[in-house]
Amino acid sequence: MQAALEAYSLFRRERWLADRALEHTLRPKRNLYANERRAVSERVYAAVRRQRAIDHLLASLRPGLDALPTSRQDLLRLHAARVLEGESPAAVVRSAAFDALDARALDRLPEAAAALEKLPADRKLAILGSLPDFLAQRIRDELGPDAEAAVAAMNTRAPLCARANTLKGTREALMERLRGEGVDCRPTPLSPLGVFLDTRLNAFSLRSFKDGLFELQDEGSQLLGQLVDPPPTRVVDACAGAGGKSLQLSAEMKNRGELFALDVDGRRLEELKRRARRDGVHNARIREVPASTPEALAALEDLRGKADRVLVDAPCSGTGTFRRKPDARYRLSPDELTMHVDRQRALLEQFSALVKPGGRLIYGTCSMLQVENEDIVQDFLARHPEYTLVPAETRVPAAATRGGYLRLYPHLHGTDGFFGAILGRAKT
């Protein structure tokens, strides 16, 4: 709990990213076992996921909360998260030296949380879901009666999911190897490459990982990669980052042809190079590109009109990944969302120039918001009559699609939220 308090205080008081706060806190604590480290992470993320609800409830349940030392406030919040996650208030109170006022607040927490169900629908979704008001309203407008289920799913822990590296073996061979290492696992229902790791562990410590037999990758991300359907010729991953989908595409290309992995962040591309060596990837052409559009176009002139497939997995609000990055919601504002939309439109325009006649442009995000997804695609199609929408169900299960697009939601599919569109360019 002391370690959790240190990390949570860095997040809440110093505005650190939650994952970096945890890494900074846990790195020097060599005396903690792996299961204790996971417990610290889970307690911090539970408090981050429910921060707005906890603050709202404790403000009325704990008189004088703001006058308490900040460390004591944060300790109370961490324990409140345990109660909201389903632990008995009495057991939580016994685990720490709380005074009578703190104990009473925790004891009344379940009843007070249940009372929030009577709030008007828009307020209830924002407070119980711990979302900014503008984001809660967007989700309500877009998902209607599914909004509450979607937000509840956002606030659960994501499963640990791996993608079999088919350059080194099949999914079935990977599961056999994992079971031999003491890992309970099962195949994912939608992706033919995915494996759920049901044993909570440090997957990076497994021999099978070090041998390059798998990468950790959400099932939804794997399905977005499958939209590309890469031929073994020339494929571009325009926003490669650290390369999760680049490695998947290389495996689907069977290491043949050329896979150009592009990004503006050279540090992330260095991580991709390390991962590629481990996975046995040989056909990746890793290239840092300038951030400004004119310079980037000049740097990519050799690829203009020559790519069979171009994947634009665009930077976005990340609303589909709140299960894994719960603090991202608190940094999202209407202005930042507008910035994402403008950049997505520009990236799709910029990299469409690389698609050859008869080729395909694949656009994707890890956002659940229409403004970053269908609206971007429809705007592009309206300005580019040479492109048409290719139904996503030609590449992924129909259950993962809606309106011809890949459309995944945590509450419906158990994946992160993902969107994907296949845009085919005419041959002439």
Side-chain angles (χ1 to χ4, degrees):
M1 182 52 72
Q2 180 61 39
L5 181 59
E6 290 177 27
Y8 183 66
S9 295
L10 285 174
F11 159 74
R12 187 171 182 113
R13 308 295 166 186
E14 305 296 332
R15 307 298 183 190
W16 286 43
L17 298 177
D19 57 350
R20 293 183 183 174
L22 282 162
E23 180 185 5
H24 177 82
T25 301
L26 292 174
R27 187 189 303 119
K29 298 188 186 302
R30 304 185 185 280
N31 59 315
L32 292 180
Y33 294 109
N35 62 327
E36 293 172 319
R37 292 173 180 273
R38 286 196 298 275
V40 170
S41 297
E42 288 169 7
R43 288 194 176 181
V44 170
Y45 279 128
V48 173
R49 278 194 295 266
R50 299 176 179 273
Q51 179 166 284
R52 187 173 183 184
I54 290 169
D55 288 352
H56 179 88
L57 292 165
L58 290 181
S60 60
L61 295 176
R62 179 49 172 94
L65 176 67
D66 291 341
L68 296 175
T70 56
S71 60
R72 188 166 161 196
Q73 293 181 39
D74 291 346
L75 188 65
L76 188 57
R77 292 184 176 101
L78 285 166
H79 284 82
R82 294 174 61 190
V83 174
L84 292 180
E85 293 271 298
E87 292 190 50
S88 158
V92 171
V93 168
R94 284 196 302 270
S95 70
F98 285 122
D99 66 16
L101 288 175
D102 292 342
R104 177 173 169 79
L106 291 173
D107 187 58
R108 295 172 58 198
L109 202 58
E111 180 182 356
L116 294 181
E117 295 288 341
K118 299 178 182 178
L119 287 173
D122 56 341
R123 290 284 294 158
K124 181 175 73 169
L125 192 67
I127 293 174
L128 269 179
S130 288
L131 295 172
D133 288 342
F134 88 95
L135 184 55
Q137 187 60 53
R138 275 190 174 273
I139 292 172
R140 270 183 50 77
D141 290 345
E142 292 189 18
L143 298 185
D146 274 1
E148 288 189 25
V151 171
M154 283 183 196
N155 288 330
T156 59
R157 188 176 67 188
L160 190 60
C161 188
R163 174 186 56 78
N165 176 14
T166 53
L167 291 175
K168 294 193 173 184
T170 65
R171 176 167 70 171
E172 290 69 26
L174 172 62
M175 289 192 290
E176 183 177 351
R177 175 75 175 269
L178 288 169
R179 288 166 182 148
E181 294 182 87
V183 180
D184 290 333
C185 58
R186 54 195 166 88
T188 52
L190 296 172
S191 168
L193 304 172
V195 177
F196 287 127
L197 309 184
D198 292 326
T199 302
R200 303 300 291 189
L201 79 169
N202 177 10
F204 302 126
S205 68
L206 293 172
R207 186 73 255 171
S208 52
F209 175 78
K210 294 176 182 178
D211 289 344
L213 300 186
F214 71 87
E215 291 284 342
L216 293 182
Q217 185 179 356
D218 182 75
E219 184 182 15
S221 175
Q222 296 175 35
L223 291 170
L224 177 55
Q226 283 192 277
L227 291 185
V228 180
D229 185 24
T233 47
R234 184 175 287 111
V235 178
V236 175
D237 185 358
C239 304
K245 294 183 192 67
S246 295
L247 298 172
Q248 176 183 348
L249 297 179
S250 179
E252 293 190 23
M253 295 169 73
K254 297 180 173 60
N255 253 338
R256 300 198 295 268
E258 293 181 301
L259 170 66
F260 290 86
L262 316 176
D263 204 85
V264 298
D265 190 338
R267 291 172 301 177
R268 300 191 74 195
L269 292 177
E270 287 300 317
E271 174 63 18
L272 169 54
K273 291 177 183 178
R274 288 190 290 271
R275 296 171 72 184
R277 285 193 294 270
R278 185 182 63 239
D279 286 8
V281 166
H282 305 306
N283 68 338
R285 312 290 182 256
I286 299 171
R287 186 188 298 186
E288 185 175 354
V289 295
S292 69
T293 299
E295 293 178 3
L297 288 174
L300 298 172
E301 186 61 33
D302 61 317
L303 294 175
R304 177 181 289 272
K306 296 180 179 179
D308 299 279
R309 301 285 188 273
V310 174
L311 170 63
V312 180
D313 182 11
C316 66
S317 64
T319 49
T321 62
F322 281 175
R323 298 186 304 174
R324 302 177 193 279
K325 300 176 181 178
D327 52 328
R329 70 190 74 187
Y330 306 120
R331 297 189 299 273
L332 187 63
S333 66
D335 287 345
E336 185 177 355
L337 181 58
T338 298
M339 178 199 72
H340 284 307
V341 169
D342 291 342
R343 180 167 55 178
Q344 289 152 2
R345 189 177 292 117
L347 287 171
L348 195 57
E349 185 72 29
Q350 172 183 327
F351 287 107
S352 67
L354 307 187
V355 182
K356 75 178 187 181
R360 290 184 176 185
L361 174 65
I362 295 85
Y363 174 75
T365 74
C366 55
S367 170
M368 298 196 300
L369 303 179
Q370 179 177 318
V371 69
E372 298 183 90
N373 297 326
E374 289 92 345
D375 290 357
I376 295 290
V377 172
Q378 291 303 316
D379 173 75
F380 178 84
L381 291 175
R383 291 183 291 104
H384 289 274
E386 72 273 24
Y387 281 91
T388 55
L389 182 68
V390 178
E393 51 266 35
T394 61
R395 290 294 306 142
V396 296
T401 68
R402 188 182 71 184
Y405 301 109
L406 174 73
R407 255 303 193 172
L408 298 168
Y409 297 92
H411 67 296
L412 296 178
H413 305 98
T415 67
D416 287 349
F418 272 95
F419 171 87
I422 307 171
L423 308 176
R425 182 176 179 179
K427 293 183 179 181
T428 56

